[in-house]
Amino acid sequence: TADSKTSLRIAIQKSGRLTDKTIELLKGIGLRFDDYKRNLMVKCRNFDVELLLIRDDDIPEYVQDGVCDLGFVGANVTAETGADVSVLRGLDYGVCRLSLAARKDGDIQQLEDFEGKTIATSYPRLTRRFLENNNIANTNIVTISGAVEIAPRLEVADAICDLVSTGNTLKANGLEELEVILESETQLIQTNKKLSPGKKKLIEKFLIRMDSHQQAER
Ligand code: PRT
Ligand code: ZN
């Protein structure tokens, strides 16, 4: 369990959109690391912390299971995995939304039109839940792991549910955003497993540093 280790273990994305901003934040609050790009596990030189660098998809479960005490990950990933974790802070990077989109002048123009349609997404759970909550019971959800936005052109799907930030990708693929199903940002999450008093203290210290850093940035 997380309890048996003394240093605070923090999961971050190994290589992707959140990596640089997260490392920047950790350095900004005074944590010093060497060689974080090359290793899966990196010890902090001046704080009782170690980083685990993994795929973002794995972060919520690692934190849920107490393999890591904390994690930096998109709210979209935590929501899709349904992991049992606590959200300590919302952060101002990795901001995006998960949206339903369809061909610009196609036969899907509003939410009701999704009935009976095929939807490609990397977020099948969130997509299904949203549609069910909106009384759209008959859809075929196709799970694909990348390049979701080309599915309609390939005629693999009638519509998609994907992350959007600027909207340029949708536009470039002749798609129109119809419904936002989740607003997302990077979050600091914490395990719900029991933590030792030592680790609780470390987390408190970590949060104080983070909060004063965020305030200074404003
Ligand atoms: O390898 P690993 O599994 O760790 O990485 P990944 O490829 O799964 O994730 P990555 O690095 O692409 O994204 C990590 C996180 O960044 C996501 O889980 C979100 O929380 C956040 N994020 C913020 C985004 C975007 N903005 C975003 N725009 N993730 C993906 N996109 C993609 C989107 O899927 C689409 O293809 O960018 C395209 C749309 O962007 P716009 O600007 O054209 O709208
Ligand atoms: Zn991923």
Side-chain angles (χ1 to χ4, degrees):
T1 66
D3 237 341
S4 58
K5 294 156 217 118
T6 48
S7 55
L8 203 59
R9 193 178 283 168
I10 307 176
I12 72 168
Q13 189 185 24
K14 182 170 175 57
S15 150
R17 286 169 191 266
L18 308 184
T19 307
D20 288 351
K21 284 275 172 64
T22 305
I23 292 282
E24 209 175 278
L25 169 64
L26 294 172
K27 286 185 170 168
I29 65 173
L31 275 59
R32 295 289 164 258
F33 308 95
D34 22 52
D35 252 13
Y36 68 86
K37 286 274 174 195
R38 272 195 282 144
N39 300 305
L40 176 68
M41 194 111 88
V42 182
K43 273 202 182 307
C44 177
R45 283 198 262 130
N46 60 342
F47 204 83
D48 204 2
V49 162
E50 58 188 14
L51 300 183
L52 190 69
L53 292 108
I54 55 182
R55 290 198 57 185
D56 66 347
D57 313 68
D58 297 330
I59 294 174
E61 274 141 9
Y62 270 57
V63 173
Q64 169 184 274
D65 297 345
V67 176
C68 293
D69 307 300
L70 301 177
F72 287 89
V73 66
N76 54 302
V77 179
T78 304
E80 177 65 20
T81 57
D84 174 22
V85 298
S86 297
V87 176
L88 296 183
R89 295 290 185 275
L91 301 161
D92 60 3
Y93 61 95
V95 175
C96 58
R97 52 198 189 269
L98 182 63
S99 294
L100 285 166
R103 224 178 264 112
K104 203 168 180 336
D105 299 308
D107 55 358
I108 303 176
Q109 292 297 325
Q110 54 188 340
L111 192 49
E112 299 87 87
D113 301 337
F114 282 90
E115 188 70 55
K117 295 293 197 281
T118 299
I119 304 160
T121 186
S122 306
Y123 295 84
R125 287 175 52 140
L126 292 173
T127 304
R128 183 167 296 115
R129 190 192 304 160
F130 177 84
L131 292 168
E132 281 173 6
N133 287 344
N134 284 279
N135 298 315
I136 296 166
N138 301 301
T139 53
N140 177 25
I141 295 174
V142 178
T143 306
I144 46 184
S145 59
V148 170
E149 61 277 358
I150 64 168
R153 258 195 298 152
L154 298 177
E155 295 182 357
V156 176
D158 304 306
I160 66 167
C161 187
D162 199 13
L163 298 176
V164 182
S165 45
T166 62
N168 290 338
T169 303
L170 292 183
K171 200 179 285 173
N173 287 282
L175 300 169
E176 186 178 13
E177 188 175 1
L178 295 170
E179 286 284 336
V180 176
I181 80 166
L182 180 83
E183 300 276 3
S184 186
E185 62 189 357
T186 306
Q187 293 178 331
L188 174 62
I189 57 171
Q190 180 185 306
T191 190
N192 286 332
K193 300 270 185 208
K194 196 173 170 356
L195 293 164
S196 65
K199 278 197 178 180
K200 282 188 188 156
K201 281 236 174 62
L202 278 172
I203 293 175
E204 259 170 53
K205 254 172 84 177
F206 185 83
L207 287 177
I208 289 169
R209 284 191 182 215
M210 232 179 80
D211 292 345
S212 52
H213 175 73
Q214 305 287 92
Q215 249 154 28
E217 294 244 296
R218 257 169 225 136

